[in-house]
Amino acid sequence: MRCLAIIPALLALAAPALAETCPPAPDLEPRKSELLAAVRAAETELDARLLTNEMWELWTTAPDATAQEWLDTGIERRAAYDFEGAVNAFDALIDYCPDYAEGYNQRAFVNFIRQDYQTSLDDLERALELSPDHYAALTGKAMALYVLGDQPTAFTVLRRALDMNPWLPERHMLPPEMQPQSGKDL
């Protein structure tokens, strides 16, 4: 157990030395475009969930083994409710790969859980700059805005996410006048 506590500290120390070595992320655009089109056209919620699972596989494909290790460590630490360890791993990932959107998205999720909504929003903004079609990051942004009391903006952002994936579970948060006119969303 003691060794697990040391891992985040080692990751944080190693990140600055490696910051220049992150390779570009693999080109996943063709598959991502296919999945975005397929999830918009999905006939059932189950079909959409399966496609979203594939999308998560793309989003969580890091640029190299080092980045993947930090991403996986952060996700594991979050699942174990070690939020400090998770943030440390995601900090190291972002230091190493500052242009990898999922590092910001995952750190935003941990900060949302920790109820640090503004920090979460800052990371989501960066994730969306890097990956504008990341509908999970858009949904996270909508949730953070909602909790912060900015429901009109939250609903607008959620509507944008629903334009990419009309099956998102959060679709039911929209007021009736903003609900899509598709049978999928009713």
Side-chain angles (χ1 to χ4, degrees):
M1 193 60 132
R2 193 174 192 183
C3 291
L4 290 178
I6 295 171
I7 291 172
L10 291 175
L11 292 174
L13 290 174
L18 299 172
E20 301 297 322
T21 62
C22 181
D27 182 15
L28 303 173
E29 280 306 313
R31 182 64 183 143
K32 194 163 61 165
S33 293
E34 290 172 12
L35 288 171
L36 283 168
V39 78
R40 277 192 299 271
E43 292 295 321
T44 68
E45 190 165 1
L46 177 60
D47 291 340
R49 279 190 201 162
L50 295 172
L51 293 163
T52 296
N53 289 344
E54 285 188 59
M55 186 65 83
W56 274 112
E57 288 178 29
L58 293 181
W59 286 329
T60 59
T61 299
D64 69 3
T66 300
Q68 192 68 55
E69 182 67 29
W70 283 329
L71 178 65
D72 294 344
T73 297
I75 292 170
E76 289 166 10
R77 296 290 82 222
R78 182 186 66 226
Y81 300 97
D82 174 8
F83 301 133
E84 183 178 343
V87 167
N88 287 339
F90 295 135
D91 285 348
L93 172 60
I94 290 166
D95 287 345
Y96 179 64
C97 291
D99 295 328
Y100 177 50
E102 198 56 33
Y104 297 95
N105 185 55
Q106 292 295 325
R107 187 170 68 181
F109 183 34
V110 173
N111 283 316
F112 184 91
I113 293 168
R114 292 172 19 164
Q115 299 180 350
D116 185 352
Y117 304 116
Q118 187 57 56
T119 300
S120 180
L121 277 175
D122 294 342
D123 276 341
L124 290 165
E125 286 296 329
R126 182 64 179 138
L128 290 164
E129 286 172 16
L130 295 167
S131 183
D133 56 6
H134 198 312
Y135 55 79
L138 274 173
T139 303
K141 180 179 177 180
M143 299 298 293
L145 289 165
Y146 187 88
V147 172
L148 288 170
D150 188 355
Q151 283 77 19
T153 306
F155 293 149
T156 299
V157 171
L158 181 55
R159 190 69 198 101
R160 283 182 29 222
L162 288 166
D163 287 343
M164 292 179 224
N165 180 352
W167 292 100
L168 292 170
E170 295 82 4
R171 69 189 182 272
H172 300 295
M173 290 178 58
L174 287 178
E177 66 273 11
M178 292 189 78
Q179 289 284 333
Q181 298 304 308
S182 162
K184 296 176 187 175
D185 301 312
L186 301 177

